[in-house]
Amino acid sequence: MPAIKPISRTASARPAGCATGFVVAFLGLFVAVGTGFGYVLSARPLYLAWQARSWTPTACDVVSSRIVESDGTSRADIVYRYEVGGRRYTADRYNFVPGLTGDSTVPAAVASHPPGATFECYVDPDDPSRAVINRTTTYWYYLGILFFALFAGVPAAAGYATLRTRRNHRTAGRMLTATQTLTATQAHSAGDGRFGHPSNPGEAAPLVLKPSASPLAKLLTITLICLFWNGIIGVFTYFEVRGIVEGQSFGWFLAFFLLLFQLVGVSLLVAVFHQLLALASPRPILTVSRGTVPLGASVSFGWELSGAAHRVSRLTISVRGREEARYRRGTDTHTDTNIFFSETLADVTHAMGIARGSGTIRIPADSMHTFTADNNKVIWSLHVAGEIARWPDVDETFDITVRPA
């Protein structure tokens, strides 16, 4: 019996694994950076501020006070002395926020602590060398949480989805290949009279198809991408605006450099809004008369639009066969897609036919059945397109299974 092969040359299994590993490693870098930022900017300062609630109020004398500025940011540099147990200590910690913040309260903090003034600071009773002036948390303490969510949370979710999808594809590929091999063996043996035609009760029962990606899944995906992209660009945009307001040339340089990235961010926001509106579009429900379609055979199918079907002015349903081949060229991994078969099954413009109808799916006998492997796929699907005036159109794809004759 000849071996079942995909249409394209089967590539090595190594590129897919390398591509997945590269994606996971790349996302892991973001997770590491986001975790580091989250710890330094939020986790540690919040923990120290929580500890400082039990520190001892102590009289302190201001030695010097000034504002330290750099690239549009600033902090209060206040040096003060205090005495604990007959021993003198000197400290300069104002709060637990690391680095420069540019907080609008910095000038007021310095003005309220002039040299020679006496005020109340808070001293660690377990380590008198540690003291702080302001132990109240502000929004700067939570900046690291934003970094962690954008740089670590979103990439971690994307990495988990990548690994899960990779594992599901490999499992599905092994199961489908085994099924195809068994089917081909039965078909080959039937010619010798050793086996009858295979019979699977589930294949003869009507089946409601599931969309390959629901509008809600599309919305969640584009929203995560939008948050990740605009979260990163938003940090740099903040420094850009501050630089322009304060008349620094660096701000105009950032404005020129970030323009293209900001346009992409705006496009992502528009895409999120567009996909949000698409949730209110009518949803197609497709039912086929049997679970699988043999090559060279035909099955009947029906459709129904749930929701406001009257808003759809034209509905088209087509069957498509496409091949995906992933291969490696140098150090890059590429995926080529080729639609080798396409046929319109329904093209309806009257309201009754748009709301519900039926048709027939015919698969050419000389075509290729559904196939899934690590680097090659043959996918058959039904594509539903509905035109809606001044609203996101209906655009959904439903995969079907085509088996050998």
Side-chain angles (χ1 to χ4, degrees):
M1 180 191 68
I4 299 176
K5 297 181 179 180
I7 297 175
S8 298
R9 173 180 60 85
T10 302
S12 167
R14 183 180 178 184
C18 290
T20 302
F22 174 78
V23 171
V24 172
F26 180 73
L27 294 175
L29 179 62
F30 278 92
V31 172
V33 172
T35 302
F37 272 108
Y39 173 77
V40 173
L41 297 180
S42 285
R44 188 172 184 274
L46 286 171
Y47 175 72
L48 292 175
W50 176 78
Q51 275 190 326
R53 294 187 304 174
S54 61
W55 289 6
T56 306
T58 305
C60 299
D61 298 323
V62 179
V63 177
S64 64
S65 63
R66 65 191 181 106
I67 298 176
V68 177
E69 297 181 345
S70 178
D71 295 331
T73 60
S74 60
R75 68 176 177 87
D77 181 21
I78 303 173
V79 180
Y80 49 94
R81 288 193 302 256
Y82 56 94
E83 184 175 324
V84 177
R87 182 176 177 181
R88 283 184 168 272
Y89 295 90
T90 302
D92 61 356
R93 184 189 297 275
Y94 178 73
N95 56 25
F96 297 107
V97 177
L100 307 179
T101 62
D103 197 329
S104 58
T105 62
V106 169
V110 172
S112 61
H113 294 82
T118 300
F119 66 99
E120 187 177 72
C121 66
Y122 304 93
V123 179
D124 184 358
D126 298 326
D127 183 5
S129 64
R130 300 172 64 194
V132 68
I133 296 176
N134 185 2
R135 58 183 179 180
T136 304
T137 57
T138 63
Y139 66 89
W140 287 102
Y141 282 80
Y142 301 95
L143 180 62
I145 297 178
L146 176 63
F147 271 91
F148 177 78
L150 294 175
F151 284 85
V154 175
Y160 172 77
T162 300
L163 291 175
R164 186 177 180 86
T165 302
R166 171 70 174 165
R167 183 180 61 186
N168 291 342
H169 282 179
R170 294 186 66 176
T171 302
R174 287 195 297 267
M175 294 177 61
L176 184 56
T177 302
T179 303
Q180 293 165 346
T181 303
L182 178 60
T183 304
T185 302
Q186 291 174 332
H188 176 73
S189 300
D192 298 336
R194 289 179 292 173
F195 291 95
H197 292 287
S199 177
N200 185 348
E203 293 182 354
L207 176 68
V208 179
L209 300 178
K210 295 182 179 181
S212 56
S214 66
L216 181 59
K218 294 178 182 178
L219 175 62
L220 292 177
T221 301
I222 192 65
T223 301
L224 288 176
I225 296 174
C226 179
L227 289 175
F228 179 63
W229 181 273
N230 286 300
I232 297 175
I233 301 304
V235 174
F236 294 99
T237 302
Y238 168 78
F239 292 108
E240 169 199 334
V241 173
R242 284 191 62 90
I244 294 176
V245 170
E246 297 177 2
Q248 298 181 2
S249 58
F250 181 72
W252 291 107
F253 171 77
L254 276 179
F256 176 77
F257 178 77
L258 293 176
L259 180 60
L260 179 61
F261 298 96
Q262 290 166 339
L263 290 176
V264 174
V266 172
S267 301
L268 288 173
L269 289 172
V270 173
V272 170
F273 180 71
H274 180 275
Q275 195 57 46
L276 185 64
L277 295 179
L279 292 178
S281 298
R283 297 288 306 280
I285 302 174
L286 298 186
T287 305
V288 292
S289 60
R290 56 190 302 176
T292 62
V293 187
L295 286 173
S298 61
V299 296
S300 60
F301 77 98
W303 72 84
E304 182 178 353
L305 289 186
S306 64
H310 64 277
R311 298 169 56 194
V312 180
S313 59
R314 180 182 180 185
L315 181 74
T316 58
I317 302 176
S318 58
V319 59
R320 296 176 181 176
R322 77 177 186 274
E323 178 190 13
E324 295 180 1
R326 183 163 46 186
Y327 59 93
R328 195 168 192 174
R329 180 181 298 163
T331 58
D332 299 327
T333 301
H334 300 265
T335 300
D336 288 341
T337 300
N338 174 45
I339 298 178
F340 58 86
F341 180 80
S342 180
E343 181 182 8
T344 300
L345 305 178
D347 190 347
V348 190
T349 56
H350 55 89
M352 294 297 294
I354 290 176
R356 62 177 52 85
S358 60
T360 303
I361 305 172
R362 297 180 178 86
I363 305 297
D366 58 350
S367 189
M368 180 65 181
H369 55 76
T370 301
F371 182 85
T372 301
D374 286 341
N375 299 284
N376 300 87
K377 295 181 182 179
V378 174
I379 303 172
W380 288 87
S381 60
L382 296 178
H383 180 249
V384 181
E387 297 179 4
I388 304 177
R390 298 180 296 277
W391 197 263
D393 294 334
V394 177
D395 184 9
E396 293 196 32
T397 301
F398 301 79
D399 291 345
I400 59 175
T401 301
V402 176
R403 62 178 175 85

